[in-house]
Amino acid sequence: MRETPITTREEKEPPETPSRREFIKTMAGGFFGLLAAGKIGRAEAFLEEAFRKEEKETGPRILIEIFYAPHQTREDAKGIRERIQESDVVIPEEIGWDQKLLSIYRGISGGKTPIEEYFHYLAKTRKEIEEAKDSFNMAFLEALQNSKKAVELIDVPRLHPLHLEIYAKVHEFSLNTKGGFHQLVARWKKLLQDGAELQTKREQYMLENLSVLKKSIAERKIPELAGKDKVKILLTLGSYHTMMLHQAKRSGEDATRTGKTLDIFRHIDEVSRRFIFGKEVNDTLIARTIFESLMGTILNYELGKAAPDSSERGLIERRIAESFEFDEIQKLVENYNPNKPEATRNELLQRMAEKGIAFPPSKKDVETWKKRRNEPSRS
């Protein structure tokens, strides 16, 4: 049995209205009748009144904009303030939400709740809140604060079976090579394939709830939107979820995209997308996905300093990973000891130096890699 709709707003059956075909047929008869009688002014007034009546019966025009960006750094949120200002409804990506979190979002938008409440809800310490000042979430909340925009959530809610399944799957990833590296690769491949299927289900869930929200707007059930002729809905989604836009358009939605356009994905995202599109995923791609995870663990600080923009960081990680072959990655991962990461860090830096990879890369290196972004991946 499907969960209840995303909002607590009570649903009521809309009154029956004439179909659009019947409406156009009736309107055309009246318009051309007046035009034939030479009453051009009255014909124009009739047309205007007819469309006003249709709008009242069918609800406002609803536009959907998806702001795509990684959800990590403040730089990732560049442009979000302007997109919020031009929207009527804001929908953050927020898997595992509940009514308390929705109330916090609405309170921040209304100017009644301090941003810190969001981080308190997540059980963040004062130090963690201070460290979050350069995060995507902080930049997004600052842009939302006192904007007076309606806020809705359409993601999978807390404790929903799909939420629990995704949460459990994420926590199965590890760099433990017990059983050998080849078994680790096979395990990650299965986890990523299962994860891609779960994300597809999640996106379908969001699209269904978006339809529920649109229905409420069309029936003018949301008071702050009831008087509008046009309503723009802004969704903020991670760059992984581009299929949401394609699916929305296929279902007839008036949908557009803004935010970042990523030509280069980390291997973990590429692998997931390959599974979704039914393309081949070989063991080298999986090994490089594991390598990027290892690199992000032992070189996290340096990578963050080199690229505050998540897109650039992803580009750096990918280009470095592409320089390593399966057997080289196997050796590094098998030698990794989480209790003594410095040894693997030094080994990795030495191997990079032998390959002529300067680390951290210079801005010139990054720009060169950007120019090569359309080159096919070596796999």
Side-chain angles (χ1 to χ4, degrees):
M1 182 177 174
R2 194 177 177 282
E3 292 290 307
T4 53
I6 51 164
T7 72
T8 55
R9 306 182 198 279
E10 188 176 348
E11 298 256 2
K12 293 181 181 178
E13 286 299 315
E16 289 190 8
T17 58
S19 69
R20 180 162 178 77
R21 182 176 180 179
E22 291 170 339
F23 163 79
I24 292 174
K25 190 175 178 181
T26 303
M27 180 199 73
F31 174 73
F32 286 112
L34 289 168
L35 205 60
K39 300 175 181 179
I40 297 175
R42 287 184 60 186
E44 291 175 345
F46 174 85
L47 194 62
E48 186 177 339
E49 178 60 28
F51 278 114
R52 190 180 296 115
K53 181 180 179 183
E54 186 208 19
E55 188 176 82
K56 185 176 180 181
E57 291 174 343
T58 61
R61 180 187 177 198
I62 300 175
L63 309 175
I64 296 169
E65 177 184 330
I66 304 179
F67 183 90
Y68 282 111
H71 289 177
Q72 296 178 34
T73 69
R74 177 174 289 274
E75 186 68 21
D76 296 335
K78 189 175 181 180
I80 192 64
R81 185 178 296 275
E82 293 76 16
R83 305 323 311 149
I84 288 176
Q85 288 174 351
E86 294 186 19
S87 301
D88 301 295
V89 183
V90 178
I91 305 177
E93 180 181 356
E94 194 68 76
I95 189 170
W97 66 276
D98 58 18
Q99 287 297 324
K100 183 176 180 181
L101 182 57
L102 179 57
S103 296
I104 290 172
Y105 270 124
R106 288 174 173 170
I108 291 172
S109 177
K112 298 177 181 179
T113 302
I115 289 174
E116 287 74 19
E117 281 299 308
Y118 173 85
F119 294 99
H120 290 156
Y121 169 86
L122 297 177
K124 299 295 183 183
T125 64
R126 185 177 299 178
K127 182 182 178 182
E128 288 172 325
I129 294 174
E130 177 62 26
E131 291 171 347
K133 68 180 186 300
D134 291 326
S135 68
F136 174 91
N137 282 348
M138 184 66 81
F140 170 77
L141 293 170
E142 288 172 357
L144 180 67
Q145 190 173 35
N146 207 31
S147 64
K148 311 298 182 187
K149 304 299 181 180
V151 179
E152 298 288 344
L153 294 174
I154 63 172
D155 213 331
V156 181
R158 183 172 178 266
L159 300 183
H160 182 283
L162 185 54
H163 170 233
L164 296 177
E165 199 172 353
I166 291 172
Y167 182 83
K169 194 66 64 178
V170 167
H171 285 78
E172 288 182 36
F173 286 93
S174 77
L175 294 172
N176 189 334
T177 55
K178 184 178 180 180
F181 184 71
H182 287 270
Q183 186 172 320
L184 178 68
V185 168
R187 187 165 71 246
W188 273 58
K189 188 172 187 177
K190 181 66 166 62
L191 286 171
L192 288 166
Q193 185 172 18
D194 291 347
E197 292 174 2
L198 290 172
Q199 289 298 335
T200 299
K201 291 179 181 178
R202 178 188 170 201
E203 290 178 353
Q204 187 58 42
Y205 183 94
M206 287 193 277
L207 284 170
E208 289 173 4
N209 280 332
L210 181 60
S211 295
V212 173
L213 175 61
K214 282 187 61 184
K215 185 169 181 281
S216 294
I217 294 172
E219 295 170 7
R220 303 191 184 277
K221 292 181 178 179
I222 302 178
E224 56 265 48
L225 305 175
K228 292 183 175 290
D229 299 331
K230 181 174 70 174
V231 173
K232 177 179 276 190
I233 298 173
L234 176 70
L235 283 82
T236 64
L237 292 176
S239 304
Y240 172 87
H241 298 287
T242 52
M243 279 298 292
M244 281 276 289
L245 178 67
H246 303 310
Q247 290 171 345
K249 285 185 172 181
R250 276 198 292 269
S251 63
E253 303 287 4
D254 193 342
T256 57
R257 68 172 294 164
T258 54
K260 290 181 179 291
T261 300
L262 292 186
D263 298 317
I264 294 289
F265 288 90
R266 287 179 173 88
H267 282 91
I268 191 167
D269 293 322
E270 181 186 332
V271 167
S272 297
R273 289 163 66 83
R274 279 176 175 261
F275 278 129
I276 288 171
F277 289 103
K279 294 187 176 181
E280 180 190 359
V281 176
N282 60 37
D283 286 352
T284 300
L285 275 175
I286 301 296
R288 287 176 176 155
T289 300
I290 296 170
F291 178 83
E292 286 178 352
S293 177
L294 174 64
M295 182 166 45
T297 300
I298 62 179
L299 296 177
N300 183 55
Y301 176 78
E302 292 90 340
L303 287 165
K305 291 284 285 184
D309 180 296
S310 293
S311 303
E312 285 192 359
R313 174 168 172 161
L315 174 64
I316 292 169
E317 291 181 7
R318 185 182 179 96
R319 289 308 186 200
I320 293 173
E322 287 173 342
S323 301
F324 285 78
E325 299 301 335
F326 186 96
D327 57 339
E328 296 175 298
I329 296 170
Q330 178 177 356
K331 183 180 178 182
L332 282 164
V333 175
E334 288 180 340
N335 289 343
Y336 173 62
N337 182 342
N339 297 317
K340 297 179 180 179
E342 196 65 24
T344 305
R345 180 181 182 279
N346 292 337
E347 183 183 0
L348 174 56
L349 290 174
Q350 181 181 339
R351 294 291 296 118
M352 287 164 59
E354 291 170 0
K355 292 174 179 289
I357 301 172
F359 190 83
S362 66
K363 289 186 177 180
K364 184 178 179 181
D365 291 333
V366 175
E367 289 304 315
T368 300
W369 287 341
K370 282 181 179 179
K371 291 176 184 176
R372 292 172 48 206
R373 60 162 43 101
N374 292 320
E375 294 180 9
S377 170
R378 289 169 39 210
S379 57

